[in-house]
Amino acid sequence: MSERPRVRTAEGVVQGLWRQGHAVFRGIPYAQPPVGALRFAAPAPPHRWEGTKQAVEFGPVVPLSLPIEVPPQGTDWLTLNVGTPDPGAAGLPVLVWITVGGYLSAVSSDPMYDPAALAEAGVVVVTINCRVGAEGFAFLDDAPPNRGLLDQIAALEWVQRNIAAFGGDPGQVTVGGMSAGAGSVAALLTMTSARGLFRRAMAHSVPGLFSTPALARQATAAFADRLGAAAPTAEALRDIDPWYLAAELTAFNAGLHAHRESWGRLTETGTALCPVIDGEMLPETPWLALTGGRASGIDLLVGHARDEFRYFSVMSGKHGTFTEQDAQAALELLAPQPDGARAYRAAFPQAGPEELVETVYSDALFRMPSQKLAEANAAAGGTSYLFELCWVAPVLGGILGACHSLDLPLAFGTLDCPVGTQLIGEQAPPEAVALSRELQQAWVRFITTGDPGWSAHRPGEHLTRVLDTESKTVPYPEQASRQIWAGHSPDPFDLQPLARPSMSSIPIASTPRASRSGG
């Protein structure tokens, strides 16, 4: 293995590196840089090149709308990375992982996504960058909506053209993501332009984060007004520096609570600009498309953490401070209408304000959209496998619980990455190593065969794999919440006709660190 690996793609030859027994190729363009005349446009096919392109460095990070400092990088944002056990092999299963967090970040170079463990198990791993924030999701009058999703489709098309040259099987592609990446997967399940580009899907902590055109238009107009732009158009925004635009969106998102009376639930997400139910590319939400028979089900591995909201409340300093007023405001804003607030209090009669806030936030933002995606996919003829992560993050005395983002370092086997050490500790305990191995094996089995190793989640049974020190398959653990949300699909966020009670704002998508890879 002394000679560096070379692969001929449809666009040209790339040369990568050998690393820990597998080959890696980084920063491969799957579309042209979306700048200049191509800014805010649909992704354009990549240029061909002569000679050999060095694929040893990650591509530039897309402009991030996060409260962390990332220096501006180059403009060749639309790149992907491939980790393969053997470029000379054939027919290996493929995982395409969408690294989007909060629809605000896409950092495929994050060490959490290191492909080493999965490549060792025989999987070709592709991680992608795509446009996020205003570049990917501002709703502009003269530009295609959902450009971030269009980028993902372009990356999947690249995989179909080229993955066989890296040892992968284009007919055995699984697309996966966590949080906003999982929301992207849910959208891809139902998009006509994505059909035939993947065979299976994995979605961890699916957010119900889609906007109506009316809300998206108003949010984009308010953002453009903040910038002093003449109009919410690509023409008006095209000359604004992308990194300045991203920084301004960070500040804009931090002040969403000021719009609560008109924008309602959207202001609790910390993300003003997200996928839009545009009537064409996304005619309706994934849940409605699947249950209505307008999209076909597939093999789907979907799940959530038990304590999804805990990370955000702890890291924002709000944990332990919620009042009865906060609880009532959260219930009236986020619980399904018209009687969700009453239903939560009846289902959890012993719960204090803290537990009520945590439960309804976890349910509304991640748990119920995930569980309902499993049900919707099964209704559409697919096979759904549901899990709930219940193993408690051991840091900070266990206060984080089984929180949002904990599953990713476990699944990728990257316990020593920054997120892993933040949640699990500098030295992972034996039970973390064992659970990591279990989750990895479930992933590999699912990517290879469509079956992670436990019973499917079927109507009437709702069987769920509880991932813990001793994992088991049981009826869905969050049954009380499931019953409260029965008959309520995650609706797109819309303009709020009536004022709702106010509570202290917790910017879910812009919490430091988790937002880089989750959120």
Side-chain angles (χ1 to χ4, degrees):
M1 288 191 180
S2 57
E3 187 175 337
R4 287 169 49 202
R6 292 161 58 95
V7 164
R8 180 174 294 279
T9 72
E11 290 76 36
V13 176
V14 291
Q15 185 168 39
L17 297 168
W18 290 109
R19 185 173 171 273
Q20 299 180 33
H22 66 279
V24 293
F25 300 83
R26 297 168 174 164
I28 304 174
Y30 65 83
Q32 293 177 41
V35 294
L38 293 178
R39 193 172 180 194
F40 303 114
H47 292 299
R48 297 175 181 270
W49 60 85
E50 299 295 329
T52 299
K53 179 183 286 290
Q54 295 302 307
V56 299
E57 301 288 343
F58 291 107
V61 173
V62 302
L64 309 178
S65 293
L66 299 176
I68 56 175
E69 288 194 15
V70 178
Q73 302 185 17
T75 58
D76 199 1
W77 305 323
L78 303 186
T79 65
L80 52 75
N81 319 296
V82 181
T84 175
D86 180 4
L92 296 175
V94 181
L95 171 64
V96 179
W97 191 261
I98 299 170
T99 65
V100 173
Y103 299 110
L104 301 173
S105 70
V107 187
S108 66
S109 56
D110 191 314
M112 183 162 59
Y113 307 121
D114 191 315
L118 293 171
E120 185 178 351
V123 176
V124 178
V125 180
V126 180
T127 54
I128 67 173
N129 285 344
C130 62
R131 283 174 287 183
V132 291
E135 303 291 335
F137 294 101
F139 194 60
L140 306 170
D141 294 338
D142 56 345
N146 299 313
R147 295 171 298 280
L149 298 179
L150 294 177
D151 291 347
Q152 296 166 21
I153 289 172
L156 287 165
E157 290 172 341
W158 183 96
V159 169
Q160 288 298 307
R161 288 197 305 274
N162 290 306
I163 207 63
F166 295 84
D169 181 353
Q172 288 274 29
V173 173
T174 297
V175 64
M178 184 264 181
S179 201
S184 300
V185 169
L188 292 169
L189 287 176
T190 63
M191 292 169 63
T192 302
S193 51
R195 287 178 186 165
L197 298 181
F198 56 92
R199 181 172 181 176
R200 303 184 178 103
M202 303 196 303
H204 288 221
S205 301
V206 183
L209 189 50
F210 294 87
S211 284
T212 64
L215 176 55
R217 184 170 286 110
Q218 192 172 115
T220 300
F223 178 54
D225 186 63
R226 172 191 175 89
L227 296 166
T233 62
E235 183 179 6
L237 299 181
R238 192 170 283 126
D239 292 334
I240 298 175
D241 178 79
W243 284 89
Y244 175 77
L245 192 71
E248 284 297 297
L249 182 58
T250 302
F252 183 68
N253 284 335
L256 284 184
H257 59 278
H259 299 274
R260 185 175 284 118
E261 288 194 2
S262 55
W263 297 355
R265 294 177 299 141
L266 180 73
T267 62
E268 299 305 307
T269 68
T271 301
L273 307 179
C274 61
V276 182
I277 304 302
D278 58 52
E280 296 181 14
M281 190 172 72
L282 270 181
E284 55 191 336
T285 66
W287 299 271
L288 288 179
L290 288 164
T291 56
R294 290 174 291 280
S296 300
I298 63 171
D299 295 335
L300 173 67
L301 176 62
V302 59
H304 56 71
R306 182 188 61 203
D307 308 309
E308 288 279 0
F309 182 63
R310 189 78 59 80
Y311 185 98
F312 305 105
S313 66
V314 170
M315 295 304 174
S316 66
K318 298 292 178 60
H319 183 70
T321 71
F322 293 112
T323 64
E324 175 58 32
Q325 180 183 357
D326 290 333
Q328 186 61 26
L331 289 169
E332 294 195 22
L333 187 66
L334 297 174
Q337 298 302 310
D339 63 345
R342 180 203 58 78
Y344 267 98
R345 291 192 183 276
F348 302 95
Q350 306 301 317
E354 190 83 23
E355 184 180 345
L356 284 171
V357 169
E358 180 171 296
T359 300
V360 73
Y361 264 92
S362 293
D363 283 347
L365 296 179
F366 299 111
R367 298 197 308 192
M368 293 304 103
S370 300
Q371 193 274 336
K372 285 185 171 293
L373 190 65
E375 290 189 343
N377 180 67
T383 304
S384 300
Y385 298 90
L386 186 64
F387 71 85
E388 180 177 68
L389 178 63
C390 290
W391 183 73
V392 172
V395 298
L396 301 176
I399 192 175
L400 288 170
C403 66
H404 192 75
S405 296
L406 178 60
D407 41 343
L408 277 195
L410 292 170
F412 275 93
T414 49
L415 303 182
D416 58 351
C417 74
V419 172
T421 56
Q422 181 194 35
L423 299 178
I424 299 169
E426 294 291 337
Q427 186 63 45
E431 57 266 28
V433 176
L435 184 58
S436 174
R437 188 176 300 116
E438 178 185 349
L439 189 49
Q440 280 177 55
Q441 289 172 350
W443 265 25
V444 172
R445 279 191 58 164
F446 179 79
I447 293 165
T448 305
T449 70
D451 182 348
W454 61 81
S455 299
H457 184 80
R458 293 188 175 90
E461 293 180 324
H462 309 117
L463 291 176
T464 306
R465 186 67 173 174
V466 171
L467 299 171
D468 207 337
T469 304
E470 293 186 9
S471 299
K472 54 190 176 182
T473 303
V474 299
Y476 185 56
E478 312 305 332
Q479 198 63 242
S481 295
R482 190 189 74 81
Q483 291 173 351
I484 291 171
W485 286 81
H488 297 277
S489 286
D491 294 324
F493 292 4
D494 201 356
L495 291 172
Q496 187 62 46
L498 299 173
R500 294 281 187 89
S502 178
M503 69 177 290
S504 52
S505 179
I506 299 177
I508 299 300
S510 54
T511 304
R513 178 53 65 185
S515 58
R516 287 193 60 176
S517 310

